[in-house]
Amino acid sequence: MNLQRKFGLVIKELRLKKGLSQESLANQSDIDRTYISDIEKGERNISLKIIERLSETLQISLSELFKKIEEYE
Amino acid sequence: MNLQRKFGLVIKELRLKKGLSQESLANQSDIDRTYISDIEKGERNISLKIIERLSETLQISLSELFKKIEEYE
DNA sequence: ATGTGACTCAGAGTCCGTT
DNA sequence: GAACGGACTCTGAGTCACA
């Protein structure tokens, strides 16, 4: 499984843990709802700026976020 | 200091610690030499794929890489 | 509330050389 | 060996209608 798919899975997991819909995560992160959908499916090779915005909204540090991602291997 | 600048500083630090030139890091990571230069100066908003390739060449996990980045704040 | 296809366009990423 | 520049190509960012 590649990195961007793992990334999507972790984002989805964190979003659900906070009881957020894709739409509200999208609004809070100032990202389009359909773009969030693509990210969670692992279909986008996202950049540092997007990663940062998501981690802020989900209230997780970048190192903790990537630690979770690594646990998927 | 923004995230991409901190990212660049950490990459440079790790590269020097391994005794690599920008050119050899570029070659081993299959990234353009001039792009490495820009990244280290914090002038590029790089994607997940590039981040992954750099971490592989520099032999550091993504979570450890971002932990170092967070230490710059 | 989420998925998909199709789109635009700024910027990610490359290649050449010169300082 | 690294920074800088111009001139590229290609893909990520961002949006929309529709299912």
Side-chain angles (χ1 to χ4, degrees):
Chain A
M1 188 160 57
N2 69 28
L3 179 59
Q4 72 188 43
R5 283 210 59 181
K6 281 184 259 178
F7 191 94
L9 288 170
V10 170
I11 291 298
K12 181 172 188 170
E13 180 186 316
L14 292 170
R15 173 176 67 79
L16 293 175
K17 195 183 289 178
K18 297 196 71 105
L20 297 173
S21 64
Q22 287 185 353
E23 203 162 16
S24 55
L25 173 59
N27 291 335
Q28 290 180 47
S29 309
D30 199 31
I31 296 172
D32 195 81
R33 170 184 73 75
T34 66
Y35 199 58
I36 297 286
S37 171
D38 286 352
I39 291 170
E40 288 192 354
K41 285 180 294 165
E43 290 175 355
R44 297 280 191 156
N45 175 32
I46 64 178
S47 77
L48 218 39
K49 284 182 183 169
I50 298 286
I51 295 169
E52 189 177 23
R53 278 192 253 165
L54 288 172
S55 75
E56 283 168 359
T57 301
L58 293 168
Q59 298 174 61
I60 186 170
S61 71
L62 293 169
S63 60
E64 283 167 5
L65 176 60
F66 280 99
K67 193 181 285 177
K68 282 187 176 289
I69 290 166
E70 284 159 6
E71 287 165 7
Y72 267 96
E73 341 204 39
Chain B
M1 190 160 56
N2 69 28
L3 179 57
Q4 70 189 47
R5 281 210 63 179
K6 281 183 261 180
F7 191 94
L9 288 171
V10 170
I11 291 298
K12 182 171 190 173
E13 180 186 316
L14 292 169
R15 172 177 67 79
L16 293 175
K17 196 181 289 176
K18 297 198 70 105
L20 297 173
S21 64
Q22 288 183 352
E23 203 161 14
S24 55
L25 173 59
N27 291 335
Q28 290 180 47
S29 309
D30 199 31
I31 297 171
D32 194 79
R33 154 180 78 75
T34 65
Y35 200 52
I36 297 286
S37 171
D38 285 351
I39 290 170
E40 289 191 354
K41 285 181 291 165
E43 291 175 355
R44 295 287 190 155
N45 175 33
I46 65 180
S47 76
L48 216 41
K49 284 181 183 167
I50 297 285
I51 294 169
E52 188 177 24
R53 280 191 249 163
L54 288 172
S55 75
E56 284 167 359
T57 301
L58 294 169
Q59 298 175 62
I60 185 170
S61 71
L62 292 169
S63 60
E64 283 166 6
L65 175 59
F66 281 99
K67 193 181 286 178
K68 281 187 177 291
I69 290 165
E70 284 159 6
E71 286 165 7
Y72 267 96
E73 343 203 39

